Amino acid sequence: DHKIDVWSVGCIMAELHGRKPLFPGKDYIQQMNLIFNLTGSPSLSDTAFITNTKALQWIQSLETRKPIPLERLYPNANPLALDFLGKMLVFNPHSRISVEEALDHPYFRNLRDRDTEITCDLAFDFEFEKMELTEEKIKKAMYEEVVLFRPYLGDGKTGTKPSASGSSGNPIRAYADTMTGDTNFGMISQKMVRGEDATSSNAKPNPNPNTNTNTTP
């Protein structure tokens, strides 16, 4: 739900202003109390979206609280920033500012460029999070991440990424394939970052690790 994301952005923005979490609750009871201490007690209409009967009864049993002005918490903040923050930190998601309204807020007047914005028409696919991560898959993913920033460490050809054929002809990939612990990978990763030959213990750093001085572009 986009409105949940808006609330999260509001919490992050508040933390940036105050240099500490806004609602540092240890459990959901304390969390809700901290929220109502700031936003004040929700009205009956603001709790209409709650479907959990016990949760609703608990909220209605709390003592009435008045909201705390954000100006009191962040006296040196930009008034437009506080107005924007207040519109994001609304308990009732139906009354909370939308993503489009947030982008159109005066706080972003000098920053927003509609011509550069791209709207995604498809829901993001999180299926990759369900994949089974084995030691081999993690090593492969970490190796390919290194190659993304150091293309000359690819499959033996300058500027290419590792091929699906495996480590044949690539001493670095062969070395990575034999790694069995964090110590070895830490060593090879540090050498790659320094631009050294990861398979040599006496290699000298490459003065420009972003380029391969032995071949043409």
Side-chain angles (χ1 to χ4, degrees):
D1 190 326
H2 294 166
K3 294 297 183 73
I4 295 178
D5 295 332
V6 170
W7 175 272
S8 299
V9 172
C11 292
I12 294 171
M13 185 175 181
E15 186 169 345
L16 290 172
H17 276 81
R19 300 299 190 269
K20 61 181 180 180
L22 184 60
F23 307 120
K26 297 180 180 179
D27 53 60
Y28 69 94
I29 296 294
Q30 184 183 19
Q31 192 93 49
M32 295 304 297
N33 276 294
L34 290 173
I35 291 174
F36 295 144
N37 285 343
L38 175 67
T39 64
S41 300
S43 64
L44 289 177
S45 60
D46 284 335
T47 58
F49 72 94
I50 299 176
T51 57
N52 186 308
T53 304
K54 290 185 178 180
L56 183 59
Q57 291 175 345
W58 177 78
I59 292 175
Q60 293 173 343
S61 69
L62 298 174
E63 61 181 9
T64 302
R65 311 176 202 188
K66 294 182 179 180
I68 298 176
L70 293 174
E71 292 81 0
R72 189 187 306 174
L73 292 179
Y74 313 114
N76 299 319
N78 183 326
L80 284 177
L82 295 183
D83 180 76
F84 179 47
L85 184 59
K87 287 179 168 60
M88 290 190 290
L89 296 178
V90 174
F91 179 72
N92 184 351
H94 300 301
S95 302
R96 197 176 302 154
I97 192 172
S98 68
V99 173
E100 185 61 33
E101 291 169 337
L103 291 172
D104 210 31
H105 190 276
Y107 184 62
F108 297 112
R109 181 180 295 118
N110 298 325
L111 299 174
R112 188 178 188 188
D113 186 353
R114 295 177 181 272
D115 294 334
T116 63
E117 294 179 4
I118 299 176
T119 301
C120 181
D121 297 325
L122 301 175
F124 192 81
D125 185 2
F126 287 95
E127 285 298 314
F128 69 92
E129 293 187 346
K130 299 178 182 179
M131 66 181 294
E132 181 183 357
L133 288 178
T134 63
E135 179 182 354
E136 182 61 29
K137 287 182 179 179
I138 293 175
K139 288 194 297 184
K140 181 176 182 294
M142 295 178 73
Y143 167 77
E144 291 178 350
E145 184 74 8
V146 171
V147 171
L148 181 64
F149 294 94
R150 295 289 187 272
Y152 58 87
L153 296 176
D155 59 358
K157 300 177 182 178
T158 304
T160 60
K161 294 183 179 181
S163 65
S165 59
S167 60
S168 178
N170 184 347
I172 296 177
R173 182 58 189 271
Y175 185 86
D177 286 344
T178 62
M179 291 187 297
T180 57
D182 294 337
T183 302
N184 286 338
F185 189 82
M187 180 177 65
I188 190 173
S189 297
Q190 291 177 22
K191 288 188 175 184
M192 287 178 173
V193 170
R194 292 196 301 265
E196 300 176 6
D197 180 357
T199 61
S200 172
S201 59
N202 300 315
K204 296 182 179 180
N206 182 343
N208 186 357
N210 291 314
T211 60
N212 187 340
T213 56
N214 297 325
T215 58
T216 55

